[in-house]
Amino acid sequence: MTGEPVLEAIDVVKELGSGAGKVMALKGVTVALRPGELTLLMGPSGSGKTTLLSILGCILTPTSGSVRVDGQLTTGLPAEKLAMFRRDHIGFIFQSYNLFPTLSALENVRIALDVRGEKGFKAAARAEEVLRDVGLGHRLKYHPGNMSGGEQQRVAVARAIATSPSVVLADEPTAALDTENGHAVMALLARIAKEQNRSVLVVTHDPRTLPYADRVVRIEDGRIVGEERRPDGLDAPEITDLTKRRKAHV
Amino acid sequence: MVLTLAFRNLFHDRIRLAVTLVGILFSIVLVAVQLGLYLGSSRMITSNIDHSDGDLWVTTFGAKSFEDGGLLLRNGERHQALATPGVASVVPMVVAFAEWRKPSGGSTRVVVIGTDPEDGGLAPWSLIKGTWEDVRAPNGIAVDRTYLKELDIEGVGSTAQIATGRIRVKALTDGVRSFTQSPYVYMPINRARQLLGAPTDATTFYLVKVAPGADVEQVRKDLKSRLETAEVLTKAEFRDRSLTQWLFRTGAGVALIGGAFLGVLVGTVIVAQTLYSSTKDHLNEFATLRALGSSSGYIHKVILGQAGLSAVIGYVLGMIIALAAVLASHDTPLPLVMTPWLAAVLFAVTLFMCAISALSAIMKVIKIDPAMVFNR
C-alpha cells in the first residue's frame, strides 16, 4: 500500500431501471484506490464494471453507500457540484477515445483545461507539455481523423492528466487498439501512476494489461469477488523499457 | 475554446451551415424589405409635415392626414389665431387633390400644395433644378423628377394643365414622393387657390409658430378655446394621425409588420431546426464535455456561440442583399429605406431569433447523461 486512499467507495449499491425492469447492478461494493497504484478492475460483461467506474467517477450516484474523493464525500451532491468534482479531481479515458473530431490534438487537451477556467497562453503551454510527455510533440496540430488509434488514445491520456487529477479512470483503454499500441498505452498509464503518483483505475477484459497492474480487483455479478496484488519491488518490464528508451532518446 | 468549438461545430457540416445561413438570410431580407417599406412609407406620409416649420397645426375638425384637410379654413380663424397670446406667426397652406391634364392627352391626380415659404410656410426640399424664386414666376410649379414620366412631361420648361389653369415646370425635386402615388405639385398659395377655384382666403392648414419663450402647450390650449371650428395639433400628433390613417386604417402597415413578423418566424424555425440537429449530432461530444466536468453553462455557451456566429454571418450576408434591394428600389414608387437604426434593429432581431432558436438545442443538452460516454 502506498498511502491513504484518494478515492474510496464503501458498501455501494446501485439499482438501475425501474419497476419490473429494475436491476441491482452493484450489491454492496467496497473499494479504495491509492496514489501511485495502477489498479485493474476485471470481470465479465454485465458484472457491473462500468457502473462502478461511473460511480467512482462521480458520473452516477449510488442508490446507497458512500463515495469519497480526496477525503470529500460526494454522495448526494447535485449534478453541477459533481461536475466540479470531476473537473478538479478525476481524469477520464474512454474506450472510443471520445476526442472532438473538429479540434486538433492540442485543442482537445486544452478544452479539458478550458472547462476549469484555465485559458490563454498558460493553458496552451500546459497542453503542449503533456502532449510532448505522452510522445505526441510532433502531432500537436493533427486532428483525430489523421491520427492512428494509439495516437488518439494517447491524446485522450494527455487530456485526462492535463488537469493534474489525483485519480485517472480508464474504461477499456486498450480494447480498440492493436497489441503494440495497447502495450504502449498501458505502459503510459503505469508510468503516470508511478512517476506522477496518481491513482489509476483501468476497467478491462484484456489480459495483456495484467503485467502493468499493481493490483487486480475482480468483480462478478455486482460484487467484488477477489483482489490480487503484485509483490512490492517488482517492476513491469514495459515500464523499464519505456524509461530506457526515453533516456536513450534524450 | 468555447468560440473555437462553436465555430468548428458550425463549419463541420457545410451543407447544414448553408441551410442555416439561407434561413437567416431569408429572414433578414424579408424583415429588412418589410420594415424598409414601412419606414419608406412612413417617411413619404410625413415628409411634408416633417419639413414644415410650424410648432402647431390648425386643421379642420377630423382631418385624417396631410392630404385630407379640405379647404374649409378662412381668414377668421387666422385672425383669431394671431390674436392668441404667445403666437408669433400663422402661415396658411393649401393642400388638395386636383386633376393634372397630360400634354399628350389623358389625366392623372396630383396633390397641389400651395405655400409661401417666404412667410414661413413649407418650402419644397431636395431641389435639384431651379429655385423657389423660379417657381414664383407666372404659372411656375415644382414637381419631383421621378414623376416626370407619369405626368407626361420632360422636365423644367415643360407645360401642362392643372384643373383649368396652365402651369409650367420651373423646378425639380429629387426623392419627394407621395404615399398616395398622386405626385406633390408645389406652387405659391394664391396660384393654388386660383387653380383650384377656391376663395382667396380658403386654407387647408395654418402653421402656427410659437413666440420664443412661450409655452407650446399653453398656446395650444388657448388656440383650442378660441378656434371652435378647428382642431389644433402638435407636429407629432399630426404625424401620428397621418401615419395611422394611411398605414393602419388602410391595413398597409399591418401587412408590412405582419410580413416582417412572418420573416422572423420562418427564420427562427429554420435556424432552430438546424441547430437542434447539429446539437444532436454532437451530443456525444457534449456528453464528453460534461464527463470532463464542464458546467452546463459552458455547454450552453457553445450552443449559443454557434447561434451567435450563425447570426453574425447570416446578418452580414442578409444586409448585403437588403442594401442592394434598397439601392434598386430608389426610383420605384415605393422606395425601401435603410437607416442605421433599422440596421441595428435588424441585428438585434437576428441575435434574438438565433438565441430563441438555440433554446430547443439547449433543452436537448439539459437532459444529457454524461454516463452515455461509456456506452459507445
Side-chain angles (χ1 to χ4, degrees), chain A residues 50 53-54 59 80 83 86-87 92 94 96 98 100-103 107 111 114-115 143 159 171, chain B residues 1 4-5 8-9 12 284-285 288-296 298 371 373-374 376:
Chain A
T50 301
L53 186 77
S54 301
I59 283 176
E80 286 301 316
R86 288 197 293 276
R87 69 171 171 255
F92 284 100
F94 308 103
S96 311
N98 286 41
F100 295 83
T102 57
L103 300 182
E107 289 165 336
I111 203 157
D114 197 66
V115 297
H143 282 69
R159 181 176 68 184
D171 181 34
Chain B
M1 288 302 294
T4 305
L5 190 57
R8 302 280 174 82
N9 281 355
H12 184 60
N284 190 62
E285 290 161 39
T288 302
L289 271 178
R290 201 74 177 114
L292 293 178
S294 85
S295 63
S296 46
Y298 187 92
V373 292
F374 295 121
R376 288 178 80 213

mmCIF file of all heavy atoms in Angstrom, chain A residues 50 53-54 59 80 83 86-87 92 94 96 98 100-103 107 111 114-115 143 159 171, chain B residues 1 4-5 8-9 12 284-285 288-296 298 371 373-374 376:
data_model
loop_
_atom_site.group_PDB
_atom_site.id
_atom_site.type_symbol
_atom_site.label_atom_id
_atom_site.label_comp_id
_atom_site.label_asym_id
_atom_site.label_seq_id
_atom_site.Cartn_x
_atom_site.Cartn_y
_atom_site.Cartn_z
ATOM 1 N N THR A 50 -18.545 -1.064 -15.478
ATOM 2 C CA THR A 50 -18.754 0.314 -15.962
ATOM 3 C C THR A 50 -19.616 1.106 -14.987
ATOM 4 O O THR A 50 -19.386 2.300 -14.783
ATOM 5 C CB THR A 50 -19.375 0.282 -17.367
ATOM 6 O OG1 THR A 50 -18.486 -0.430 -18.218
ATOM 7 C CG2 THR A 50 -19.580 1.674 -17.923
ATOM 8 N N LEU A 53 -17.344 2.152 -12.310
ATOM 9 C CA LEU A 53 -16.472 3.221 -12.815
ATOM 10 C C LEU A 53 -17.229 4.561 -12.835
ATOM 11 O O LEU A 53 -16.687 5.600 -12.450
ATOM 12 C CB LEU A 53 -15.988 2.878 -14.227
ATOM 13 C CG LEU A 53 -14.967 3.829 -14.837
ATOM 14 C CD1 LEU A 53 -13.584 3.569 -14.253
ATOM 15 C CD2 LEU A 53 -14.897 3.660 -16.345
ATOM 16 N N SER A 54 -18.476 4.507 -13.270
ATOM 17 C CA SER A 54 -19.285 5.732 -13.346
ATOM 18 C C SER A 54 -19.537 6.315 -11.956
ATOM 19 O O SER A 54 -19.559 7.535 -11.781
ATOM 20 C CB SER A 54 -20.632 5.450 -14.016
ATOM 21 O OG SER A 54 -20.419 4.946 -15.301
ATOM 22 N N ILE A 59 -20.041 10.274 -11.963
ATOM 23 C CA ILE A 59 -20.972 10.481 -13.076
ATOM 24 C C ILE A 59 -22.343 9.942 -12.673
ATOM 25 O O ILE A 59 -23.365 10.555 -12.958
ATOM 26 C CB ILE A 59 -20.438 9.807 -14.353
ATOM 27 C CG1 ILE A 59 -19.317 10.677 -14.941
ATOM 28 C CG2 ILE A 59 -21.535 9.577 -15.376
ATOM 29 C CD1 ILE A 59 -18.634 10.115 -16.143
ATOM 30 N N GLU A 80 -24.329 19.679 -10.750
ATOM 31 C CA GLU A 80 -23.309 20.709 -11.029
ATOM 32 C C GLU A 80 -22.118 20.576 -10.086
ATOM 33 O O GLU A 80 -20.973 20.770 -10.481
ATOM 34 C CB GLU A 80 -23.915 22.112 -10.917
ATOM 35 C CG GLU A 80 -24.818 22.499 -12.082
ATOM 36 C CD GLU A 80 -24.141 22.477 -13.458
ATOM 37 O OE1 GLU A 80 -23.009 22.959 -13.589
ATOM 38 O OE2 GLU A 80 -24.760 21.932 -14.386
ATOM 39 N N ALA A 83 -20.048 17.704 -11.223
ATOM 40 C CA ALA A 83 -19.240 18.116 -12.385
ATOM 41 C C ALA A 83 -17.985 18.847 -11.908
ATOM 42 O O ALA A 83 -16.886 18.630 -12.424
ATOM 43 C CB ALA A 83 -20.062 19.006 -13.306
ATOM 44 N N ARG A 86 -15.537 16.334 -10.673
ATOM 45 C CA ARG A 86 -14.881 15.619 -11.783
ATOM 46 C C ARG A 86 -13.749 16.461 -12.371
ATOM 47 O O ARG A 86 -12.656 15.969 -12.605
ATOM 48 C CB ARG A 86 -15.903 15.301 -12.898
ATOM 49 C CG ARG A 86 -16.883 14.218 -12.540
ATOM 50 C CD ARG A 86 -17.563 13.662 -13.796
ATOM 51 N NE ARG A 86 -18.442 14.611 -14.464
ATOM 52 C CZ ARG A 86 -19.700 14.837 -14.141
ATOM 53 N NH1 ARG A 86 -20.253 14.172 -13.145
ATOM 54 N NH2 ARG A 86 -20.433 15.693 -14.819
ATOM 55 N N ARG A 87 -14.040 17.749 -12.623
ATOM 56 C CA ARG A 87 -13.003 18.537 -13.301
ATOM 57 C C ARG A 87 -11.810 18.827 -12.392
ATOM 58 O O ARG A 87 -10.715 19.042 -12.868
ATOM 59 C CB ARG A 87 -13.579 19.815 -13.906
ATOM 60 C CG ARG A 87 -14.032 20.872 -12.979
ATOM 61 C CD ARG A 87 -14.358 22.141 -13.772
ATOM 62 N NE ARG A 87 -14.991 23.116 -12.907
ATOM 63 C CZ ARG A 87 -16.283 23.397 -12.927
ATOM 64 N NH1 ARG A 87 -17.084 22.768 -13.757
ATOM 65 N NH2 ARG A 87 -16.784 24.293 -12.111
ATOM 66 N N PHE A 92 -10.579 11.236 -17.118
ATOM 67 C CA PHE A 92 -11.241 10.089 -17.757
ATOM 68 C C PHE A 92 -10.558 9.712 -19.070
ATOM 69 O O PHE A 92 -10.154 10.589 -19.837
ATOM 70 C CB PHE A 92 -12.699 10.413 -18.092
ATOM 71 C CG PHE A 92 -13.616 10.399 -16.915
ATOM 72 C CD1 PHE A 92 -13.995 11.577 -16.302
ATOM 73 C CD2 PHE A 92 -14.103 9.197 -16.418
ATOM 74 C CE1 PHE A 92 -14.844 11.572 -15.218
ATOM 75 C CE2 PHE A 92 -14.954 9.180 -15.323
ATOM 76 C CZ PHE A 92 -15.327 10.379 -14.713
ATOM 77 N N PHE A 94 -11.519 7.054 -22.321
ATOM 78 C CA PHE A 94 -12.641 6.239 -22.794
ATOM 79 C C PHE A 94 -12.185 5.232 -23.842
ATOM 80 O O PHE A 94 -11.187 5.435 -24.540
ATOM 81 C CB PHE A 94 -13.724 7.141 -23.393
ATOM 82 C CG PHE A 94 -14.138 8.244 -22.476
ATOM 83 C CD1 PHE A 94 -13.693 9.551 -22.665
ATOM 84 C CD2 PHE A 94 -14.977 8.002 -21.401
ATOM 85 C CE1 PHE A 94 -14.059 10.573 -21.824
ATOM 86 C CE2 PHE A 94 -15.358 9.031 -20.544
ATOM 87 C CZ PHE A 94 -14.888 10.321 -20.751
ATOM 88 N N SER A 96 -13.530 4.539 -26.693
ATOM 89 C CA SER A 96 -13.561 5.094 -28.059
ATOM 90 C C SER A 96 -12.885 6.466 -28.127
ATOM 91 O O SER A 96 -13.181 7.260 -29.014
ATOM 92 C CB SER A 96 -14.999 5.220 -28.545
ATOM 93 O OG SER A 96 -15.696 4.035 -28.322
ATOM 94 N N ASN A 98 -13.234 9.314 -27.444
ATOM 95 C CA ASN A 98 -14.129 10.481 -27.268
ATOM 96 C C ASN A 98 -13.411 11.810 -27.456
ATOM 97 O O ASN A 98 -13.582 12.743 -26.672
ATOM 98 C CB ASN A 98 -14.801 10.444 -25.888
ATOM 99 C CG ASN A 98 -15.883 9.408 -25.829
ATOM 100 O OD1 ASN A 98 -15.698 8.303 -26.360
ATOM 101 N ND2 ASN A 98 -16.993 9.725 -25.216
ATOM 102 N N PHE A 100 -12.683 15.270 -29.698
ATOM 103 C CA PHE A 100 -13.509 16.145 -30.528
ATOM 104 C C PHE A 100 -12.930 16.135 -31.943
ATOM 105 O O PHE A 100 -11.800 16.596 -32.139
ATOM 106 C CB PHE A 100 -13.514 17.568 -29.964
ATOM 107 C CG PHE A 100 -14.170 17.658 -28.622
ATOM 108 C CD1 PHE A 100 -13.470 17.350 -27.468
ATOM 109 C CD2 PHE A 100 -15.500 18.007 -28.516
ATOM 110 C CE1 PHE A 100 -14.082 17.400 -26.232
ATOM 111 C CE2 PHE A 100 -16.119 18.061 -27.279
ATOM 112 C CZ PHE A 100 -15.416 17.754 -26.124
ATOM 113 N N PRO A 101 -13.670 15.594 -32.901
ATOM 114 C CA PRO A 101 -13.098 15.416 -34.240
ATOM 115 C C PRO A 101 -12.729 16.726 -34.936
ATOM 116 O O PRO A 101 -11.873 16.730 -35.814
ATOM 117 C CB PRO A 101 -14.203 14.686 -35.018
ATOM 118 C CG PRO A 101 -15.458 14.942 -34.252
ATOM 119 C CD PRO A 101 -15.063 15.124 -32.830
ATOM 120 N N THR A 102 -13.379 17.807 -34.527
ATOM 121 C CA THR A 102 -13.118 19.090 -35.205
ATOM 122 C C THR A 102 -11.957 19.855 -34.574
ATOM 123 O O THR A 102 -11.575 20.912 -35.060
ATOM 124 C CB THR A 102 -14.373 19.982 -35.166
ATOM 125 O OG1 THR A 102 -14.751 20.172 -33.797
ATOM 126 C CG2 THR A 102 -15.522 19.361 -35.925
ATOM 127 N N LEU A 103 -11.427 19.332 -33.476
ATOM 128 C CA LEU A 103 -10.327 20.033 -32.798
ATOM 129 C C LEU A 103 -9.016 19.277 -33.003
ATOM 130 O O LEU A 103 -9.011 18.043 -33.148
ATOM 131 C CB LEU A 103 -10.607 20.147 -31.295
ATOM 132 C CG LEU A 103 -11.879 20.893 -30.868
ATOM 133 C CD1 LEU A 103 -11.963 20.949 -29.340
ATOM 134 C CD2 LEU A 103 -11.917 22.304 -31.437
ATOM 135 N N GLU A 107 -5.827 21.264 -29.132
ATOM 136 C CA GLU A 107 -7.105 21.844 -28.699
ATOM 137 C C GLU A 107 -7.920 20.845 -27.876
ATOM 138 O O GLU A 107 -8.622 21.228 -26.940
ATOM 139 C CB GLU A 107 -7.907 22.298 -29.917
ATOM 140 C CG GLU A 107 -7.311 23.521 -30.593
ATOM 141 C CD GLU A 107 -7.865 23.783 -31.986
ATOM 142 O OE1 GLU A 107 -8.358 22.822 -32.638
ATOM 143 O OE2 GLU A 107 -7.768 24.932 -32.447
ATOM 144 N N ILE A 111 -9.111 21.864 -24.124
ATOM 145 C CA ILE A 111 -10.517 22.028 -23.733
ATOM 146 C C ILE A 111 -10.764 21.512 -22.308
ATOM 147 O O ILE A 111 -11.603 22.039 -21.580
ATOM 148 C CB ILE A 111 -11.464 21.365 -24.762
ATOM 149 C CG1 ILE A 111 -12.845 22.024 -24.663
ATOM 150 C CG2 ILE A 111 -11.576 19.863 -24.581
ATOM 151 C CD1 ILE A 111 -13.674 21.897 -25.893
ATOM 152 N N ASP A 114 -9.775 24.328 -20.328
ATOM 153 C CA ASP A 114 -10.709 25.442 -20.538
ATOM 154 C C ASP A 114 -11.953 25.299 -19.658
ATOM 155 O O ASP A 114 -12.434 26.289 -19.109
ATOM 156 C CB ASP A 114 -11.107 25.497 -22.020
ATOM 157 C CG ASP A 114 -11.719 26.840 -22.398
ATOM 158 O OD1 ASP A 114 -10.986 27.839 -22.346
ATOM 159 O OD2 ASP A 114 -12.911 26.876 -22.736
ATOM 160 N N VAL A 115 -12.456 24.067 -19.528
ATOM 161 C CA VAL A 115 -13.666 23.896 -18.705
ATOM 162 C C VAL A 115 -13.366 24.195 -17.232
ATOM 163 O O VAL A 115 -14.271 24.472 -16.452
ATOM 164 C CB VAL A 115 -14.303 22.476 -18.835
ATOM 165 C CG1 VAL A 115 -14.760 22.213 -20.240
ATOM 166 C CG2 VAL A 115 -13.384 21.400 -18.342
ATOM 167 N N HIS A 143 -5.513 16.506 -36.404
ATOM 168 C CA HIS A 143 -6.875 16.226 -35.940
ATOM 169 C C HIS A 143 -7.018 14.721 -35.728
ATOM 170 O O HIS A 143 -6.300 13.932 -36.360
ATOM 171 C CB HIS A 143 -7.893 16.742 -36.957
ATOM 172 C CG HIS A 143 -8.084 18.221 -36.882
ATOM 173 N ND1 HIS A 143 -7.110 19.114 -37.268
ATOM 174 C CD2 HIS A 143 -9.123 18.976 -36.431
ATOM 175 C CE1 HIS A 143 -7.554 20.353 -37.070
ATOM 176 N NE2 HIS A 143 -8.765 20.290 -36.562
ATOM 177 N N ARG A 159 -5.183 14.423 -22.279
ATOM 178 C CA ARG A 159 -6.325 15.231 -21.848
ATOM 179 C C ARG A 159 -6.703 14.901 -20.399
ATOM 180 O O ARG A 159 -7.039 15.787 -19.607
ATOM 181 C CB ARG A 159 -7.513 14.968 -22.774
ATOM 182 C CG ARG A 159 -8.744 15.780 -22.433
ATOM 183 C CD ARG A 159 -9.859 15.566 -23.438
ATOM 184 N NE ARG A 159 -10.404 14.206 -23.381
ATOM 185 C CZ ARG A 159 -11.345 13.740 -24.214
ATOM 186 N NH1 ARG A 159 -11.807 14.524 -25.173
ATOM 187 N NH2 ARG A 159 -11.798 12.515 -24.112
ATOM 188 N N ASP A 171 -11.682 3.475 -19.120
ATOM 189 C CA ASP A 171 -12.666 2.448 -19.475
ATOM 190 C C ASP A 171 -12.175 1.716 -20.720
ATOM 191 O O ASP A 171 -12.199 2.285 -21.814
ATOM 192 C CB ASP A 171 -14.013 3.128 -19.742
ATOM 193 C CG ASP A 171 -15.098 2.130 -20.094
ATOM 194 O OD1 ASP A 171 -15.053 1.007 -19.554
ATOM 195 O OD2 ASP A 171 -15.972 2.469 -20.906
ATOM 196 N N MET B 1 -11.882 28.785 -26.102
ATOM 197 C CA MET B 1 -12.200 27.463 -26.661
ATOM 198 C C MET B 1 -13.690 27.315 -26.970
ATOM 199 O O MET B 1 -14.064 26.556 -27.832
ATOM 200 C CB MET B 1 -11.779 26.352 -25.679
ATOM 201 C CG MET B 1 -10.287 26.146 -25.576
ATOM 202 S SD MET B 1 -9.471 25.750 -27.133
ATOM 203 C CE MET B 1 -10.133 24.180 -27.547
ATOM 204 N N THR B 4 -14.128 28.607 -30.373
ATOM 205 C CA THR B 4 -13.439 27.715 -31.314
ATOM 206 C C THR B 4 -14.312 26.484 -31.575
ATOM 207 O O THR B 4 -14.533 26.098 -32.729
ATOM 208 C CB THR B 4 -12.077 27.269 -30.734
ATOM 209 O OG1 THR B 4 -11.331 28.426 -30.404
ATOM 210 C CG2 THR B 4 -11.302 26.409 -31.708
ATOM 211 N N LEU B 5 -14.806 25.889 -30.479
ATOM 212 C CA LEU B 5 -15.631 24.688 -30.625
ATOM 213 C C LEU B 5 -16.930 25.012 -31.369
ATOM 214 O O LEU B 5 -17.361 24.249 -32.249
ATOM 215 C CB LEU B 5 -15.925 24.099 -29.241
ATOM 216 C CG LEU B 5 -16.571 22.714 -29.215
ATOM 217 C CD1 LEU B 5 -15.725 21.696 -29.970
ATOM 218 C CD2 LEU B 5 -16.792 22.236 -27.787
ATOM 219 N N ARG B 8 -16.074 25.458 -35.034
ATOM 220 C CA ARG B 8 -15.764 24.190 -35.722
ATOM 221 C C ARG B 8 -17.020 23.329 -35.884
ATOM 222 O O ARG B 8 -17.210 22.702 -36.915
ATOM 223 C CB ARG B 8 -14.714 23.407 -34.929
ATOM 224 C CG ARG B 8 -13.413 24.147 -34.708
ATOM 225 C CD ARG B 8 -12.499 24.090 -35.926
ATOM 226 N NE ARG B 8 -11.336 24.928 -35.722
ATOM 227 C CZ ARG B 8 -10.262 24.555 -35.032
ATOM 228 N NH1 ARG B 8 -10.195 23.345 -34.504
ATOM 229 N NH2 ARG B 8 -9.247 25.379 -34.871
ATOM 230 N N ASN B 9 -17.850 23.308 -34.848
ATOM 231 C CA ASN B 9 -19.106 22.542 -34.965
ATOM 232 C C ASN B 9 -19.952 23.075 -36.113
ATOM 233 O O ASN B 9 -20.543 22.316 -36.875
ATOM 234 C CB ASN B 9 -19.918 22.633 -33.671
ATOM 235 C CG ASN B 9 -19.403 21.695 -32.600
ATOM 236 O OD1 ASN B 9 -18.499 20.901 -32.854
ATOM 237 N ND2 ASN B 9 -19.954 21.797 -31.411
ATOM 238 N N HIS B 12 -18.300 22.295 -39.495
ATOM 239 C CA HIS B 12 -18.045 20.866 -39.703
ATOM 240 C C HIS B 12 -18.954 20.316 -40.797
ATOM 241 O O HIS B 12 -18.535 19.534 -41.636
ATOM 242 C CB HIS B 12 -18.264 20.130 -38.382
ATOM 243 C CG HIS B 12 -17.931 18.679 -38.446
ATOM 244 N ND1 HIS B 12 -16.673 18.230 -38.767
ATOM 245 C CD2 HIS B 12 -18.687 17.577 -38.227
ATOM 246 C CE1 HIS B 12 -16.667 16.909 -38.739
ATOM 247 N NE2 HIS B 12 -17.881 16.488 -38.428
ATOM 248 N N ASN B 284 -22.629 13.349 -28.308
ATOM 249 C CA ASN B 284 -21.586 12.604 -27.604
ATOM 250 C C ASN B 284 -20.456 13.526 -27.144
ATOM 251 O O ASN B 284 -19.882 13.341 -26.065
ATOM 252 C CB ASN B 284 -21.041 11.497 -28.504
ATOM 253 C CG ASN B 284 -20.138 10.576 -27.724
ATOM 254 O OD1 ASN B 284 -20.569 9.925 -26.774
ATOM 255 N ND2 ASN B 284 -18.872 10.559 -28.083
ATOM 256 N N GLU B 285 -20.164 14.537 -27.973
ATOM 257 C CA GLU B 285 -19.115 15.492 -27.587
ATOM 258 C C GLU B 285 -19.555 16.325 -26.384
ATOM 259 O O GLU B 285 -18.759 16.592 -25.478
ATOM 260 C CB GLU B 285 -18.775 16.410 -28.763
ATOM 261 C CG GLU B 285 -18.052 15.668 -29.876
ATOM 262 C CD GLU B 285 -18.121 16.402 -31.187
ATOM 263 O OE1 GLU B 285 -18.026 17.642 -31.183
ATOM 264 O OE2 GLU B 285 -18.290 15.730 -32.226
ATOM 265 N N THR B 288 -19.226 14.181 -23.443
ATOM 266 C CA THR B 288 -17.812 14.088 -23.052
ATOM 267 C C THR B 288 -17.407 15.321 -22.254
ATOM 268 O O THR B 288 -16.735 15.225 -21.223
ATOM 269 C CB THR B 288 -16.920 13.952 -24.311
ATOM 270 O OG1 THR B 288 -17.337 12.795 -25.026
ATOM 271 C CG2 THR B 288 -15.455 13.822 -23.939
ATOM 272 N N LEU B 289 -17.849 16.504 -22.754
ATOM 273 C CA LEU B 289 -17.545 17.740 -22.019
ATOM 274 C C LEU B 289 -18.100 17.661 -20.595
ATOM 275 O O LEU B 289 -17.443 18.048 -19.632
ATOM 276 C CB LEU B 289 -18.193 18.932 -22.727
ATOM 277 C CG LEU B 289 -17.393 19.630 -23.809
ATOM 278 C CD1 LEU B 289 -18.223 20.755 -24.416
ATOM 279 C CD2 LEU B 289 -16.100 20.214 -23.254
ATOM 280 N N ARG B 290 -19.319 17.149 -20.510
ATOM 281 C CA ARG B 290 -19.963 17.037 -19.190
ATOM 282 C C ARG B 290 -19.172 16.067 -18.312
ATOM 283 O O ARG B 290 -18.961 16.332 -17.130
ATOM 284 C CB ARG B 290 -21.391 16.548 -19.408
ATOM 285 C CG ARG B 290 -22.331 16.834 -18.288
ATOM 286 C CD ARG B 290 -22.727 18.280 -18.235
ATOM 287 N NE ARG B 290 -23.715 18.468 -17.161
ATOM 288 C CZ ARG B 290 -23.500 19.179 -16.073
ATOM 289 N NH1 ARG B 290 -22.356 19.797 -15.881
ATOM 290 N NH2 ARG B 290 -24.422 19.298 -15.148
ATOM 291 N N ALA B 291 -18.740 14.936 -18.903
ATOM 292 C CA ALA B 291 -17.950 13.960 -18.144
ATOM 293 C C ALA B 291 -16.625 14.573 -17.690
ATOM 294 O O ALA B 291 -16.130 14.271 -16.605
ATOM 295 C CB ALA B 291 -17.700 12.716 -18.988
ATOM 296 N N LEU B 292 -16.052 15.442 -18.537
ATOM 297 C CA LEU B 292 -14.788 16.094 -18.169
ATOM 298 C C LEU B 292 -15.003 17.134 -17.066
ATOM 299 O O LEU B 292 -14.046 17.707 -16.564
ATOM 300 C CB LEU B 292 -14.158 16.785 -19.385
ATOM 301 C CG LEU B 292 -13.664 15.881 -20.516
ATOM 302 C CD1 LEU B 292 -13.122 16.721 -21.662
ATOM 303 C CD2 LEU B 292 -12.602 14.927 -20.024
ATOM 304 N N GLY B 293 -16.259 17.384 -16.745
ATOM 305 C CA GLY B 293 -16.545 18.278 -15.632
ATOM 306 C C GLY B 293 -16.982 19.669 -16.021
ATOM 307 O O GLY B 293 -16.996 20.571 -15.176
ATOM 308 N N SER B 294 -17.344 19.840 -17.288
ATOM 309 C CA SER B 294 -17.787 21.187 -17.664
ATOM 310 C C SER B 294 -19.140 21.468 -17.014
ATOM 311 O O SER B 294 -19.932 20.550 -16.795
ATOM 312 C CB SER B 294 -17.911 21.308 -19.182
ATOM 313 O OG SER B 294 -19.161 20.852 -19.604
ATOM 314 N N SER B 295 -19.373 22.719 -16.717
ATOM 315 C CA SER B 295 -20.681 23.101 -16.182
ATOM 316 C C SER B 295 -21.685 23.068 -17.330
ATOM 317 O O SER B 295 -21.285 23.100 -18.509
ATOM 318 C CB SER B 295 -20.614 24.512 -15.597
ATOM 319 O OG SER B 295 -20.309 25.420 -16.627
ATOM 320 N N SER B 296 -22.954 23.010 -16.990
ATOM 321 C CA SER B 296 -23.950 23.042 -18.069
ATOM 322 C C SER B 296 -23.898 24.395 -18.778
ATOM 323 O O SER B 296 -24.132 24.492 -19.982
ATOM 324 C CB SER B 296 -25.349 22.748 -17.548
ATOM 325 O OG SER B 296 -25.590 23.486 -16.390
ATOM 326 N N TYR B 298 -21.292 26.055 -19.569
ATOM 327 C CA TYR B 298 -20.226 26.016 -20.584
ATOM 328 C C TYR B 298 -20.784 25.447 -21.896
ATOM 329 O O TYR B 298 -20.538 25.974 -22.976
ATOM 330 C CB TYR B 298 -19.089 25.140 -20.060
ATOM 331 C CG TYR B 298 -17.844 25.129 -20.916
ATOM 332 C CD1 TYR B 298 -16.808 26.020 -20.667
ATOM 333 C CD2 TYR B 298 -17.700 24.222 -21.960
ATOM 334 C CE1 TYR B 298 -15.658 26.013 -21.442
ATOM 335 C CE2 TYR B 298 -16.560 24.202 -22.744
ATOM 336 C CZ TYR B 298 -15.534 25.102 -22.475
ATOM 337 O OH TYR B 298 -14.412 25.095 -23.255
ATOM 338 N N ALA B 371 -23.088 9.682 -18.486
ATOM 339 C CA ALA B 371 -22.769 8.248 -18.469
ATOM 340 C C ALA B 371 -22.819 7.654 -19.872
ATOM 341 O O ALA B 371 -22.273 6.563 -20.099
ATOM 342 C CB ALA B 371 -23.735 7.519 -17.545
ATOM 343 N N VAL B 373 -21.176 8.384 -22.290
ATOM 344 C CA VAL B 373 -19.833 8.279 -22.878
ATOM 345 C C VAL B 373 -19.244 6.887 -22.701
ATOM 346 O O VAL B 373 -18.323 6.493 -23.402
ATOM 347 C CB VAL B 373 -18.839 9.315 -22.280
ATOM 348 C CG1 VAL B 373 -19.210 10.715 -22.686
ATOM 349 C CG2 VAL B 373 -18.758 9.181 -20.778
ATOM 350 N N PHE B 374 -19.779 6.118 -21.742
ATOM 351 C CA PHE B 374 -19.273 4.752 -21.531
ATOM 352 C C PHE B 374 -20.015 3.734 -22.376
ATOM 353 O O PHE B 374 -19.672 2.573 -22.403
ATOM 354 C CB PHE B 374 -19.414 4.362 -20.061
ATOM 355 C CG PHE B 374 -18.563 5.184 -19.146
ATOM 356 C CD1 PHE B 374 -19.121 5.923 -18.131
ATOM 357 C CD2 PHE B 374 -17.183 5.215 -19.309
ATOM 358 C CE1 PHE B 374 -18.335 6.686 -17.286
ATOM 359 C CE2 PHE B 374 -16.384 5.973 -18.471
ATOM 360 C CZ PHE B 374 -16.964 6.717 -17.463
ATOM 361 N N ARG B 376 -20.583 3.783 -25.694
ATOM 362 C CA ARG B 376 -20.312 3.741 -27.132
ATOM 363 C C ARG B 376 -19.486 2.518 -27.498
ATOM 364 O O ARG B 376 -18.600 2.134 -26.779
ATOM 365 C CB ARG B 376 -19.569 4.996 -27.572
ATOM 366 C CG ARG B 376 -20.436 6.205 -27.558
ATOM 367 C CD ARG B 376 -19.650 7.405 -27.943
ATOM 368 N NE ARG B 376 -19.483 7.480 -29.393
ATOM 369 C CZ ARG B 376 -18.410 7.986 -29.998
ATOM 370 N NH1 ARG B 376 -17.404 8.425 -29.304
ATOM 371 N NH2 ARG B 376 -18.320 8.036 -31.303
#
